[in-house]
Amino acid sequence: MNQSLTPPCWHCGQPAPSGAFSARTPEGNRDACCPGCAAAIETVYGMGLDDYYRIRQDEAPAPDARRAELDLALFEIPDLLAPHCTSLPDGERLQLQLSGLTCAACSWLIEKALSTQPGVSRASVNLAGMTLTVDYQGAPQARETARRIQQLGYGVSLPGDPAATAANRREHKRLLGRLILAGLGAMQAMMYSMALYIGVFDGSDAVYEWVFRLASFFVATPVVFYAGWPFFQGAWRGLRNGNLTMDTPIALALFLAWGGSLVAMFTGGSHVYFDSAAMFVFFLLVSRWLEHRQRQAIHAGYARLGDTLPRAVRRLSDDQPQWVSLRQVTAGDRLLLIQGDVVPVDGRIIDGQGTFDEAALTGESVPISRGLDSRLVAGARLQEGSITLEAECAADHSQIARIAEQVELASRERLDVIRDWHRIAPLFTAAVLLLATFTLLWHWPAGAGEAFDHTLAVLVITCPCALALAVPLTLSATLGTALREGVLVASPRQLLRLPHIGGVLFDKTGTLTLGRFSLVDTQVVGEEQTPALLAIVAALEWNNPHPLAQAFRDIARNPQMADILPDGNGITGILHGQQWRISGAPQQARPGTTCLQLSRDGAVQLYLWLQDSIREESAALTRALHQQGLAVRMATGDNNAAAAPVTRALSLEEWRAGMQPADKTRWLKELQMDTAQMMVGDGINDAQAMLAADVSVATANATSLAQRAAGLYLLKDNLNAITALPALARRCQRTIRQNLTWALLYNLLAVPFAVAGWIPPWAAAIGMSASSLLVTLNATRVTRWKSSSS
């Protein structure tokens, strides 16, 4: 085909075969060379900027479709997707990184668009971290998900992608550049307009009045259409997908202020509002920039937990260190760590000693000495010394990985008020547009110019920015503050329930006590020798996560023990055709001890007495909770003899011993009939009760199951933060109420005055922006909260 006969693309000038791609415009269909150009043409005409095609000197650049296709191709490579996928009972969960989001409406738009994708059961956007979590029924359709997000105009990449990190930095710089331009332009436009407002020019100086208006136009136009472009873009995205977002009234107000002033300037009107439009953009961008900084700070606080882990480690093979990828480490591997190394996985020191900085996890800046048999968690830094670490698990099962999982759960959990705002935002925007239309019609008899001024003021003053920011910013700041204080909040709902609890139910072993049992006495009943019997006990307890089992870790175990099978009351194994079983012996317990018995074919062969010690902070903790008006109780599976000394030392109101997991849950539900309850535990046997509690807290030494069941997780190995958490929750609730009250009160007071025509557009711009700034700054006050001040 002769290319000279092929019409050019209306947007970029490249050859566009007639009818291949078509863009709808008010002037008729336009030929386009690709879908990207077609979308760009419709966007330009949709914004009323079609003069661009008449005054431009060069064609616009064509969208980089090849680059987009290459980006999408990355989502088809299983090896790249694998680190970001987790298995679900009925499918897989994929986490992606987003860019270009500006507000809660963007999150809602992406979630709604992905909810219609076949195979997607759930999509959730975390605005604070700019991440997307998608649950698929079956294998993840990552390419289709990415394609849909790109069509909405947002960026998407795999987490940790250097290109995405660079894109986020560019986005931040671009936002800062828009803010600076808007600030300079607003000041300059206001300087020109001030002379017009105070009436410096009379009829003989009309030419100077025209020059000042023209100067104001040239200064304000780049502010409105470059610095304010994110608001036009957000409004167009929503309208293109059939939704009214909070950017819609903003974009309409900006375009009316600029377009109306342009008409007034050429028709001899008395007022122009180029300065008001520029100020409106400036104040909006200040609020958005502060919000962006807040989101980045919270995201950085979470990200530092995992970002410090090394990519490669020294694994010992035949006592020789070999560099391997962190992902190759499995349970039982021996790793060599020297000064300056970061602990890559959870494990136990089997050789050497050192001083460790654990601030990344606990926030505690004072280094801690660890020696032989000490347990370490991933993320700690070895400041001095050299050790050999025995890995307890793979990297993706370490405590940091579990923390990351809980962070995502917290990010995905929606408070009712946020979810309700997503529902009412389109209705609110529609009400604003109807109110603006009413204002225009009401004041029309007084003149088109006056009606336009009052309508513009209504559109500006009713911008719902403050209302949309009130809850998400406060909640993000609270979660970040809790993390800084050593508490990971996996359930924001549970955090906000804390001020309403009436009692606390504690587990004993590993919670109120250290959970570090030691063997204090034994008694042989049969004919076997004590060392042989202890070797059998050690073999039965080898892989048992219960704190009692730790007392036998250093005892040499019998390697011939087979068919080891735990149950709810003990552990059974087969040795030389005989059945051995270790279980509790509460009837033999002595005061302050726990007694176990070892049986052979049902006959007791050995009694063992173990002793635990109370945490140093437990007494002060229970006293503080009593002073807060809370009823403090204890539920333990230990016998009365072991539990009684703890209850006397801590002055507990009520306690029950010998309780199975179902018994704890049953008692907790009975207590909940009177008032909300908090459950604090650390073990597998506490998980059922923690799931039933109104608020559940897992200690730093808790098992994986207990951590997943908890709504709050202590990162420091003490209980001190529990007493301060209700104060943080009250601060969060108070700040949310303050922000919502102010945002609603501002609209209730300001809107009637704007409708009545008593507030000019420039004052409306200042009022709206000041409202958003006040909400943003008030939310950031939560970050200054300290547990020591509660």
Side-chain angles (χ1 to χ4, degrees), residues 352-427:
Q353 62 180 8
T355 303
F356 295 85
D357 177 7
E358 300 180 353
L361 275 170
T362 66
E364 178 60 58
S365 58
V366 178
I368 300 175
S369 296
R370 305 285 189 191
L372 190 65
D373 209 38
S374 295
R375 186 177 182 274
L376 298 175
V377 294
R381 182 178 295 276
L382 178 57
Q383 289 191 332
E384 293 181 5
S386 174
I387 65 166
T388 299
L389 183 77
E390 182 181 75
E392 293 182 349
C393 58
D396 56 358
H397 289 83
S398 65
Q399 181 170 307
I400 276 188
R402 295 195 296 268
I403 289 174
E405 180 182 343
Q406 289 177 307
V407 168
E408 286 306 311
L409 290 174
S411 301
R412 290 197 302 270
E413 184 179 276
R414 300 289 189 183
L415 294 179
D416 292 338
V417 67
I418 298 178
R419 187 172 59 249
D420 291 342
W421 168 249
H422 285 172
R423 292 197 191 105
I424 68 172
L427 300 178

Side-chain angles (χ1 to χ4, degrees), residues 550-603:
Q550 306 306 308
F552 309 104
R553 178 178 290 274
D554 295 329
I555 299 176
R557 66 186 188 277
N558 191 317
Q560 297 178 325
M561 181 66 68
D563 299 329
I564 299 174
L565 182 65
D567 55 48
N569 300 309
I571 301 176
T572 303
I574 303 298
L575 179 64
H576 303 314
Q578 297 175 317
Q579 185 185 72
W580 292 84
R581 177 177 176 80
I582 187 166
S583 59
Q587 70 280 1
Q588 298 292 330
R590 301 167 183 169
T593 66
T594 298
C595 185
L596 301 179
Q597 64 182 22
L598 178 66
S599 304
R600 181 180 60 191
D601 294 332

